[in-house]
DNA sequence: CACTGTCA
DNA sequence: TGACAGTGG
């Protein structure tokens, strides 16, 4: 799933601190889905409130945004709108993966295989509309702005990096680059060790930045050609890609032939997909026009109220974290007062 | 994922 | 102090 551009990109290590005072357009669905699938108890089930409603997404957003704001990072969440119709095959495929995972989960449970059960439980995650609404409530209480994209969120996030309204776009998906994001940040989190699924080892996860211009000049191709490379590898709009063509071959073919139409050996397959429309989706996507981006004050009381009274969060934990944020923000305004006061 | 408590 | 296991909801 997703577009496998990892080995073709110029990826540079970075850290959260280098985004202080910068607006970063965050692929909201990407972030929330990650929380939903990863923040789970030992049994593999997501966290829930007294009503049995899932709260994993709220836990993730709560702590991560506290970190962002504490560091002076300005997150702007971009939510997906209606997916392009060309995406329906991919959406259908993902649904099927979830169905299969549900069966495998139940099998693992009945066999008493905990680790397997957890793995498959994660794959069953579904991001529902009410979770999106709840996430927006929490963002609003944090004073963090969010926008609704007309179609793909990544497209609008990429657009904002070009209008100068955002410094970078944050997502795990490389599609952002095809949409023209000037800078893409992956692993936009605190660095730390993560356990690999299955294996008994841990790896260090660190934020990384991919600059589109650097990547294009290192590959020696244009953005239009990168889109063609993407189509050869397989995008959400042609998930199967082309047989026996991976990132390396795709790049080679485009460099040798300039564009899809000139690659003789793929013409039969190429005519089975609407490649011109796929190009258009990446190169001229429908995006939101964003007049101004405003950050509000944090509504500390409102956050405590919502998370503890309505969503079963521990008062102690919520207050401890919010006090840490308050301290950081006060320190920041003191620093400003020293300059202007 | 991100936090907390424990133990060397 | 820092690595790791366990917990959060």
């Amino acid at each position: 799933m997703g577009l496998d551009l990892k080995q073709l990109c110029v990826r540079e290590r970075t850290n959260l601190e280098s985004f202080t005072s910068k607006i970063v357009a965050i692929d909201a669905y990407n972030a929330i889905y990650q929380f939903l699938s990863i923040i789970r108890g030992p049994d593999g089930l997501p966290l829930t409130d007294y009503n049995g409603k899932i709260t994993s997404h709220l836990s993730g957003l709560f702590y991560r945004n506290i970190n962002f704001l504490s560091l002076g990072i300005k997150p702007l969440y971009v939510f997906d709108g209606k997916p392009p119709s060309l995406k329906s095959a991919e959406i259908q495929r993902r649904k099927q993966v979830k169905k299969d995972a549900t069966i495998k989960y139940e099998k693992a449970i009945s066999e008493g295989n905990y680790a397997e059960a957890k793995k498959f439980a994660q794959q069953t995650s579904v991001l529902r509309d009410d979770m999106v609404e709840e996430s927006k409530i929490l963002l609003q209480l944090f004073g963090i702005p969010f926008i609704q994209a007309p179609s793909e969120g990544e497209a609008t996030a990429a657009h904002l990096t070009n209008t100068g309204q955002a410094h970078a776009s944050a997502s795990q998906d490389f599609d952002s680059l095809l949409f023209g994001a000037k800078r893409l940040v992956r692993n936009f989190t605190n660095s730390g060790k993560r356990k690999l699924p299955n294996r008994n080892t841990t790896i260090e996860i660190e934020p990384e930045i991919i600059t589109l211009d650097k990547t294009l000049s290192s590959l020696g191709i244009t953005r239009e050609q990168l889109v063609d490379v993407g189509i050869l590898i397989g995008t959400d709009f042609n998930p199967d890609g082309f047989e026996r063509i991976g990132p390396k071959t795709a790049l080679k073919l485009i460099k040798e032939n300039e564009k899809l139409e000139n690659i003789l050996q793929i013409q039969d397959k190429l005519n089975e997909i609407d490649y011109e429309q796929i190009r258009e989706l990446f190169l001229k996507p429908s995006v939101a026009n964003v007049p101004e981006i405003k950050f509000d004050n944090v509504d500390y009381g409102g956050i405590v109220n919502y998370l503890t009274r309505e969503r079963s969060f521990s008062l102690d934990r919520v207050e401890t974290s919010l006090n840490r944020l308050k301290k950081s923000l006060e320190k920041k305004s003191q620093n400003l007062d020293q300059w202007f006061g």
Side-chain angles (χ1 to χ4, degrees), chain A residues 229-287:
Chain A
V229 169
I231 293 172
L232 283 174
I233 301 171
T235 71
D236 283 351
F237 310 121
N238 65 314
D240 296 335
F242 289 75
E243 247 171 70
R244 300 186 41 79
I245 299 183
K248 286 194 166 174
T249 311
L251 177 64
K252 186 166 172 278
L253 287 173
I254 291 300
K255 288 189 73 142
E256 286 172 358
N257 300 279
E258 188 203 354
K259 55 183 177 178
L260 297 173
E261 291 89 330
N262 298 345
I263 309 171
L264 295 176
Q265 61 265 46
I266 65 159
Q267 291 309 305
D268 286 352
K269 273 279 175 194
L270 185 62
N271 287 318
E272 291 172 18
I273 63 170
D274 199 342
Y275 64 93
E276 286 180 276
Q277 202 191 329
I278 297 175
R279 280 178 179 158
E280 176 127 346
L281 282 170
F282 284 119
L283 295 170
K284 284 186 264 169
S286 107
V287 296

Side-chain angles (χ1 to χ4, degrees), chain A residues 32-89:
Chain A
I32 295 171
Y33 186 84
Q34 212 115 23
F35 293 142
L36 216 51
S37 74
I38 290 163
I39 305 181
R40 284 162 182 264
D43 49 3
L45 298 174
L47 310 184
T48 51
D49 62 18
Y50 68 98
N51 258 329
K53 283 179 49 121
I54 293 175
T55 54
S56 297
H57 54 307
L58 300 175
S59 178
L61 281 173
F62 175 70
Y63 291 111
R64 187 172 290 179
N65 283 320
I66 284 178
N67 279 330
F68 287 159
L69 297 181
S70 296
L71 290 167
I73 297 167
K74 299 173 169 185
L76 163 66
Y77 285 80
V78 183
F79 287 86
D80 279 351
K82 191 178 177 298
S85 56
L86 264 181
K87 199 173 177 175
S88 55

Side-chain angles (χ1 to χ4, degrees), chain A residues 75-101:
Chain A
L76 163 66
Y77 285 80
V78 183
F79 287 86
D80 279 351
K82 191 178 177 298
S85 56
L86 264 181
K87 199 173 177 175
S88 55
E90 171 64 8
I91 292 171
Q92 217 48 49
R93 192 193 63 80
R94 290 180 190 177
K95 270 189 188 158
Q96 189 58 48
V97 168
K98 288 181 206 305
K99 262 191 191 167
D100 296 346

